[in-house]
Amino acid sequence: MLKEFTNLTMQEKMASLGILLIGFVSMLSSVNGYYYAGWSNAHATFYGGGDASGTMGGACGYGNLYSQGYGTNTAALSTALFNNGLTCGACYELRCVNDPQWCLPGTIVVTATNFCPPGGWCDPPQQHFDLSQPVFLKIAQYRAGVVPVSYRRVRCRRAGGIRFTVNGHSYFNLVLVTNVGGAGDVQSVAIKGSRTRWQLMSRNWGQNWQSNSYLNGQSLSFLVTTSDGRKLISYNVAPPNWSFGQTYTGRQYRY
């Protein structure tokens, strides 16, 4: 193979090296996955008040964004980005562009925690971020109201492990999955009791996942799959005496 490469013309060698380099970069991007794609264009507005209290709750089901660790670096996504809730937990890097009157330098990283319903800037097929007011003010002035932005998907960096909050009742286990690192957006969840096999859960709404099995008195394990296809198993996250309304912490995706 080396002999064949030596006999190539300089132009052919450069082309071959270019193909190898592209392949290597593609493989590195796929493995590392920090930046999922290039920059795309959208617009951004803000909501929720100066303390972001109006951003709590939301269509992802995260509830209190402070206690869940998301803080004020959050966004409600338009229909084109929300993917019926499957994008909940994904992270985006944004920067204000092409509006020197209102833009501020620098970038922000936000987590998708809510849905911006159709109406105005969030009408399909527009790609739009309705940011919490505090994080909007890091890239644009308040009086702007709406600004053009560039955005890209980035990997989520989380402190601690993935959290599983078990709600519901016997034969109806509703598990809220939060604080997911890596891709951030969970695409499927499986649950296993210490006396059962793995069972695929169904998504109820947002990032609430449902199982209709009787799992009381069993330790619980979870298998989480994110949008990049990476899987992570957290064994025996909840002890046999787990109870509804409690949160249990599992493993975390490495960056």
Side-chain angles (χ1 to χ4, degrees):
M1 183 175 179
L2 180 60
K3 183 178 180 180
E4 292 176 354
F5 183 80
T6 304
N7 292 331
L8 294 176
T9 65
M10 181 58 68
Q11 186 175 3
E12 290 171 330
K13 289 178 181 178
M14 293 302 293
S16 298
L17 288 172
I19 293 172
L20 288 171
L21 181 60
I22 291 171
F24 175 75
V25 171
S26 298
M27 180 182 68
L28 187 62
S29 300
S30 175
V31 172
N32 185 56
Y34 190 84
Y35 298 118
Y36 283 78
W39 295 92
S40 300
N41 295 321
H43 283 83
T45 49
F46 63 87
Y47 78 115
D51 61 356
S53 59
T55 66
M56 301 297 132
C60 292
Y62 292 145
N64 188 318
L65 300 177
Y66 291 120
S67 62
Q68 295 290 10
Y70 298 115
T72 60
N73 279 38
T74 62
L77 305 185
S78 63
T79 302
L81 295 170
F82 192 63
N83 195 21
N84 196 32
L86 282 173
T87 309
C88 289
C91 293
Y92 294 87
E93 183 180 16
L94 281 74
R95 61 188 180 192
C96 185
V97 296
N98 303 326
D99 195 342
Q101 181 180 2
W102 302 117
C103 286
L104 299 176
T107 67
I108 56 174
V109 175
V110 297
T111 301
T113 59
N114 203 357
F115 174 56
C116 184
W121 287 101
C122 286
D123 271 340
Q126 296 185 96
Q127 298 184 353
H128 189 80
F129 295 84
D130 201 12
L131 304 172
S132 76
Q133 182 175 324
V135 79
F136 177 89
L137 295 181
K138 292 181 179 179
I139 59 169
Q141 299 181 51
Y142 178 90
R143 291 177 57 193
V146 58
V147 291
V149 295
S150 291
Y151 75 92
R152 60 181 171 182
R153 277 285 301 273
V154 295
R155 293 184 67 77
C156 301
R157 297 182 178 273
R158 306 292 186 210
I162 298 175
R163 301 188 192 118
F164 303 90
T165 302
V166 185
N167 295 305
H169 51 78
S170 300
Y171 296 103
F172 180 72
N173 307 286
L174 192 64
V175 179
L176 173 63
V177 183
T178 60
N179 201 51
V180 182
D185 49 346
V186 177
Q187 301 300 291
S188 71
V189 180
I191 190 171
K192 181 185 182 304
S194 51
R195 298 191 299 272
T196 71
R197 296 183 178 182
W198 285 105
Q199 307 166 39
L200 196 63
M201 304 182 79
S202 60
R203 193 169 66 91
N204 189 292
W205 67 281
Q207 280 300 335
N208 285 280
W209 297 81
Q210 174 184 335
S211 167
N212 295 327
S213 298
Y214 185 80
L215 297 170
N216 297 40
Q218 304 179 56
S219 60
L220 303 179
S221 302
F222 295 94
L223 168 61
V224 172
T225 305
T226 46
S227 62
D228 57 358
R230 296 174 67 194
K231 301 178 184 294
L232 186 64
I233 298 178
S234 296
Y235 286 108
N236 303 316
V237 171
N241 63 341
W242 63 267
S243 58
F244 292 104
Q246 297 299 309
T247 299
Y248 303 94
T249 304
R251 298 173 60 207
Q252 184 59 274
Y253 285 97
R254 297 182 63 182
Y255 308 118

